Amino acid sequence: MSGPRIGILALQGDVREHARALSAVGARPVEVRRAAELAAVDGLVLPGGESTTIGRLLRVFELLEPLRAAVVAGLPVFGSCAGMILLARDVVDGRPDQPLIGGLDMVVRRNAFGRQVDSFEVDLDVDGVEGPPVHAVFIRAPWVEKAGDTVEVLARVAEAPVAVRQGPLLATAFHPELTGDSRMHRLFVDIVRSSGSGR
Protein backbone atom coordinates (compact mmCIF):
# COMPACT_ATOMS: atom_id res chain seq x y z
CA MET A 1 0.00 0.00 0.00
CA SER A 2 1.47 3.35 -1.00
CA GLY A 3 1.55 6.28 1.38
CA PRO A 4 -0.47 9.47 1.04
CA ARG A 5 0.57 12.01 -1.55
CA ILE A 6 1.64 15.08 0.44
CA GLY A 7 2.28 18.34 -1.39
CA ILE A 8 4.89 20.83 -0.23
CA LEU A 9 4.28 24.43 -1.25
CA ALA A 10 7.47 25.01 -3.24
CA LEU A 11 7.58 28.80 -3.59
CA GLN A 12 10.11 29.45 -0.80
CA GLY A 13 11.51 27.70 2.26
CA ASP A 14 12.76 24.29 3.37
CA VAL A 15 11.15 22.20 0.62
CA ARG A 16 13.85 19.48 0.42
CA GLU A 17 14.02 19.10 4.20
CA HIS A 18 10.25 18.61 4.45
CA ALA A 19 10.36 16.12 1.57
CA ARG A 20 13.01 14.06 3.38
CA ALA A 21 10.98 14.03 6.61
CA LEU A 22 7.77 13.05 4.79
CA SER A 23 9.53 10.25 2.90
CA ALA A 24 10.94 8.96 6.20
CA VAL A 25 7.40 8.42 7.53
CA GLY A 26 6.03 6.72 4.42
CA ALA A 27 4.44 9.61 2.55
CA ARG A 28 5.00 10.48 -1.11
CA PRO A 29 6.13 14.14 -1.19
CA VAL A 30 5.47 16.25 -4.30
CA GLU A 31 6.20 19.91 -4.97
CA VAL A 32 3.20 22.21 -5.45
CA ARG A 33 3.40 25.45 -7.44
CA ARG A 34 0.15 25.34 -9.43
CA ALA A 35 -3.54 24.86 -8.66
CA ALA A 36 -3.63 21.63 -10.69
CA GLU A 37 -0.82 20.21 -8.52
CA LEU A 38 -2.67 21.27 -5.37
CA ALA A 39 -5.79 19.45 -6.55
CA ALA A 40 -3.84 16.18 -6.81
CA VAL A 41 -2.60 15.93 -3.19
CA ASP A 42 -4.01 14.33 -0.04
CA GLY A 43 -2.42 16.92 2.26
CA LEU A 44 -0.15 19.96 2.05
CA VAL A 45 2.86 21.30 3.96
CA LEU A 46 3.41 25.07 4.10
CA PRO A 47 7.14 25.42 4.87
CA GLY A 48 8.92 28.18 6.73
CA GLY A 49 10.25 31.20 4.89
CA GLU A 50 9.10 34.80 4.93
CA SER A 51 5.32 34.92 5.30
CA THR A 52 4.72 38.19 3.42
CA THR A 53 6.87 36.99 0.51
CA ILE A 54 5.11 33.62 0.39
CA GLY A 55 1.74 35.40 0.51
CA ARG A 56 2.75 37.61 -2.41
CA LEU A 57 3.98 34.58 -4.38
CA LEU A 58 0.68 32.79 -3.70
CA ARG A 59 -1.02 35.63 -5.56
CA VAL A 60 1.53 35.63 -8.39
CA PHE A 61 1.13 31.86 -8.87
CA GLU A 62 -2.68 32.14 -8.55
CA LEU A 63 -2.70 29.76 -5.59
CA LEU A 64 -4.18 31.90 -2.83
CA GLU A 65 -7.86 31.36 -3.61
CA PRO A 66 -7.47 27.65 -4.51
CA LEU A 67 -5.63 27.14 -1.21
CA ARG A 68 -8.32 28.93 0.77
CA ALA A 69 -10.98 26.82 -0.93
CA ALA A 70 -9.04 23.61 -0.28
CA VAL A 71 -8.72 24.44 3.44
CA VAL A 72 -12.46 25.16 3.66
CA ALA A 73 -13.12 21.84 1.89
CA GLY A 74 -11.10 20.00 4.56
CA LEU A 75 -7.66 19.48 3.00
CA PRO A 76 -5.20 18.58 5.79
CA VAL A 77 -2.48 21.25 5.98
CA PHE A 78 0.65 21.48 8.15
CA GLY A 79 2.24 24.92 8.45
CA SER A 80 5.64 25.45 10.08
CA CYS A 81 6.81 28.95 11.13
CA ALA A 82 5.68 31.14 8.19
CA GLY A 83 3.19 28.39 7.38
CA MET A 84 1.66 28.86 10.84
CA ILE A 85 1.26 32.57 10.10
CA LEU A 86 -0.41 31.85 6.74
CA LEU A 87 -2.96 29.55 8.40
CA ALA A 88 -3.94 32.14 11.03
CA ARG A 89 -7.15 34.16 11.06
CA ASP A 90 -5.18 37.33 11.83
CA VAL A 91 -1.61 38.51 12.45
CA VAL A 92 -0.18 40.99 14.94
CA ASP A 93 2.85 42.93 13.65
CA GLY A 94 2.15 41.81 10.10
CA ARG A 95 1.76 44.03 7.07
CA PRO A 96 -1.82 45.27 6.64
CA ASP A 97 -1.94 43.86 3.11
CA GLN A 98 -0.44 40.48 4.07
CA PRO A 99 -2.38 37.68 2.35
CA LEU A 100 -3.45 34.85 4.66
CA ILE A 101 -4.93 31.46 3.81
CA GLY A 102 -6.72 31.20 7.15
CA GLY A 103 -8.43 28.11 8.54
CA LEU A 104 -7.04 28.12 12.08
CA ASP A 105 -9.10 30.17 14.53
CA MET A 106 -6.12 31.99 16.01
CA VAL A 107 -4.22 35.24 16.02
CA VAL A 108 -0.42 34.97 15.75
CA ARG A 109 2.35 37.46 16.40
CA ARG A 110 5.11 37.62 13.77
CA ASN A 111 8.71 37.47 15.03
CA ALA A 112 7.31 37.06 18.54
CA PHE A 113 10.58 35.79 20.02
CA GLY A 114 12.67 38.51 18.38
CA ARG A 115 14.93 38.91 15.38
CA GLN A 116 17.23 36.39 13.67
CA VAL A 117 19.88 36.81 16.38
CA ASP A 118 17.28 35.77 18.97
CA SER A 119 16.76 32.36 17.34
CA PHE A 120 16.97 29.45 19.78
CA GLU A 121 16.47 25.71 20.28
CA VAL A 122 14.56 23.97 23.05
CA ASP A 123 13.16 20.52 23.89
CA LEU A 124 9.35 20.49 23.96
CA ASP A 125 6.74 18.04 25.15
CA VAL A 126 4.21 17.91 22.31
CA ASP A 127 0.78 16.36 22.91
CA GLY A 128 0.18 13.55 20.43
CA VAL A 129 3.89 12.87 19.88
CA GLU A 130 5.22 9.81 21.67
CA GLY A 131 8.73 9.38 22.97
CA PRO A 132 11.21 11.93 24.29
CA PRO A 133 10.66 15.68 23.94
CA VAL A 134 10.79 17.15 20.44
CA HIS A 135 13.91 19.22 19.77
CA ALA A 136 12.47 22.45 18.36
CA VAL A 137 14.35 25.08 16.33
CA PHE A 138 12.86 28.61 16.46
CA ILE A 139 14.03 31.11 13.80
CA ARG A 140 12.29 34.50 13.85
CA ALA A 141 9.33 32.47 15.04
CA PRO A 142 5.73 33.47 15.69
CA TRP A 143 3.63 32.45 18.64
CA VAL A 144 -0.11 32.17 19.09
CA GLU A 145 -1.44 35.30 20.72
CA LYS A 146 -5.09 34.13 20.91
CA ALA A 147 -6.71 30.81 20.06
CA GLY A 148 -10.37 29.93 19.66
CA ASP A 149 -12.08 27.23 21.71
CA THR A 150 -11.74 24.63 18.94
CA VAL A 151 -7.95 25.07 18.64
CA GLU A 152 -6.02 22.44 20.59
CA VAL A 153 -2.70 23.68 21.97
CA LEU A 154 -0.12 20.88 21.62
CA ALA A 155 2.98 22.64 23.00
CA ARG A 156 4.05 25.88 24.67
CA VAL A 157 7.22 27.82 25.31
CA ALA A 158 6.67 29.47 28.68
CA GLU A 159 2.97 30.33 28.34
CA ALA A 160 3.00 30.95 24.58
CA PRO A 161 1.39 28.29 22.35
CA VAL A 162 3.85 27.16 19.65
CA ALA A 163 2.12 24.06 18.27
CA VAL A 164 -1.61 23.81 17.59
CA ARG A 165 -4.17 21.65 15.85
CA GLN A 166 -7.71 22.31 14.71
CA GLY A 167 -9.29 19.38 12.89
CA PRO A 168 -7.10 18.54 9.87
CA LEU A 169 -4.93 21.65 10.32
CA LEU A 170 -1.62 21.45 12.20
CA ALA A 171 0.82 24.30 12.80
CA THR A 172 4.12 24.80 14.58
CA ALA A 173 6.07 27.98 15.27
CA PHE A 174 9.26 25.92 15.03
CA HIS A 175 10.97 24.09 12.16
CA PRO A 176 10.61 20.31 12.67
CA GLU A 177 12.18 19.66 9.26
CA LEU A 178 15.61 20.90 10.44
CA THR A 179 16.32 18.39 13.21
CA GLY A 180 16.18 14.92 11.65
CA ASP A 181 13.26 14.06 13.99
CA SER A 182 10.29 13.25 11.75
CA ARG A 183 7.68 12.73 14.48
CA MET A 184 5.80 15.97 13.72
CA HIS A 185 5.59 14.86 10.09
CA ARG A 186 4.38 11.42 11.25
CA LEU A 187 1.66 13.16 13.27
CA PHE A 188 0.62 15.08 10.15
CA VAL A 189 0.60 11.96 7.97
CA ASP A 190 -1.59 10.28 10.61
CA ILE A 191 -3.96 13.29 10.42
CA VAL A 192 -4.07 12.93 6.62
CA ARG A 193 -4.84 9.22 6.86
CA SER A 194 -7.51 9.67 9.55
CA SER A 195 -9.16 12.45 7.55
CA GLY A 196 -9.80 9.99 4.73
CA SER A 197 -7.54 11.95 2.37
CA GLY A 198 -4.55 9.61 2.52
CA ARG A 199 -4.42 6.24 0.85
Side-chain angles (χ1 to χ4, degrees), residues 17-18 20-27 45 78 122-137 154-155 163 165 170-172 174-193:
E17 291 84 351
H18 278 290
R20 267 197 298 273
L22 288 166
S23 294
V25 296
V45 172
F78 173 22
V122 67
D123 291 333
L124 291 177
D125 291 318
V126 180
D127 288 351
V129 174
E130 294 181 4
V134 171
H135 189 69
V137 177
L154 305 180
R165 178 179 176 186
L170 177 68
T172 60
F174 53 92
H175 289 267
E177 73 281 7
L178 296 181
T179 64
D181 181 344
S182 55
R183 287 178 294 161
M184 291 304 302
H185 291 82
R186 183 180 303 283
L187 175 61
F188 179 59
V189 169
D190 289 345
I191 290 169
V192 173
R193 286 190 167 120

Side-chain angles (χ1 to χ4, degrees), residues 2-91:
S2 60
R5 188 176 165 90
I6 308 289
I8 305 165
L9 185 67
L11 304 180
Q12 189 194 50
D14 299 328
V15 176
R16 280 187 308 247
E17 291 84 351
H18 278 290
R20 267 197 298 273
L22 288 166
S23 294
V25 296
R28 293 176 293 147
V30 295
E31 294 185 5
V32 170
R33 292 185 188 87
R34 303 282 175 206
E37 295 164 340
L38 175 64
V41 299
D42 301 313
L44 181 71
V45 172
L46 302 174
E50 209 288 313
S51 60
T52 53
T53 300
I54 296 172
R56 192 173 68 250
L57 290 170
L58 286 173
R59 284 197 169 125
V60 169
F61 282 81
E62 299 180 349
L63 269 172
L64 186 60
E65 292 309 323
L67 258 173
R68 286 174 173 163
V71 167
V72 168
L75 180 73
V77 180
F78 173 22
S80 66
C81 198
M84 172 185 254
I85 294 169
L86 290 166
L87 286 172
R89 169 173 47 84
D90 201 5
V91 180

